[in-house]
Amino acid sequence: MDQFNLELGNNIKSFRKSIFMSTTTLAELSNTSQGTISKIENGHSTSDIKTLIRICKALGVTLYDVLPDDISKEFKTDNPNKEQLFNILNDLSPSEIKVILSLLTTDIIPVLSNLSPVIKAFEQLGEQERNLFTDLLESMKNNS
């Protein structure tokens, strides 16, 4: 194992843990195996850039975010958490963003330990169901 792969794996693990995601969930969201995630996080080489890109997309980060510092210095921001959040929000539809805003303004967030299951369930709804759910949250917010 070389330093590059160790840093790459540590960066991926750090982003994954920062959003309380398991390797199993990351594997599902990135369409790869849990074993592959573990190998990468433990510093084993991967020659498949497509796998790394899918992992980054599932984490809401860019490939530059997970590269070792000496390679990606000019691409990193001063606050990687903001960058990660921005990347996640950038991929959401307007109705999904509306739901997130509703959740943030109704004090539901402190109760939830992990938004991933909520977002995953929301993504499986049809457009009409999403709109109804969004309207429900809006009405809850307006009645409080």
Side-chain angles (χ1 to χ4, degrees):
M1 289 182 281
D2 62 22
Q3 191 61 32
F4 175 87
N5 289 322
L6 283 173
E7 285 186 49
L8 177 75
N10 283 335
N11 290 343
I12 289 171
K13 183 187 284 186
S14 177
F15 277 113
R16 178 181 59 78
K17 286 186 171 200
S18 75
I19 56 174
F20 307 103
M21 184 183 289
S22 69
T23 55
T24 304
T25 301
L26 180 55
E28 290 172 8
L29 294 174
S30 64
N31 196 28
T32 189
S33 72
Q34 189 272 337
T36 298
I37 300 295
S38 292
K39 285 179 183 178
I40 291 170
E41 286 187 356
N42 289 315
H44 295 277
S45 177
T46 179
S47 59
D48 187 6
I49 191 72
K50 290 179 183 178
T51 299
L52 287 177
I53 291 170
R54 288 194 315 267
I55 289 169
C56 290
K57 185 167 178 58
L59 291 172
V61 298
T62 68
L63 187 57
Y64 295 114
D65 293 327
V66 299
L67 291 175
D69 286 337
D70 61 332
I71 293 175
S72 63
K73 285 179 191 170
E74 70 260 23
F75 300 109
K76 295 212 177 189
T77 66
D78 61 338
N79 188 334
N81 292 329
K82 278 185 180 179
E83 180 83 17
Q84 186 176 15
L85 183 58
F86 178 75
N87 289 334
I88 291 168
L89 290 173
N90 201 33
D91 288 338
L92 297 177
S93 70
S95 62
E96 291 168 324
I97 291 171
K98 191 174 180 183
V99 168
I100 297 297
L101 286 172
S102 295
L103 290 171
L104 289 171
T105 58
T106 57
D107 289 334
I108 265 181
I109 296 300
V111 179
L112 300 174
S113 62
N114 188 343
L115 278 178
S116 296
V118 174
I119 293 171
K120 192 172 184 178
F122 186 77
E123 289 174 345
Q124 294 174 355
L125 296 175
E127 188 63 31
Q128 184 179 6
E129 293 166 318
R130 286 183 190 189
N131 289 336
L132 288 171
F133 184 70
T134 302
D135 292 343
L136 172 67
L137 290 175
E138 278 295 314
S139 71
M140 289 169 50
K141 181 176 104 176
N142 293 334
N143 288 331
S144 56

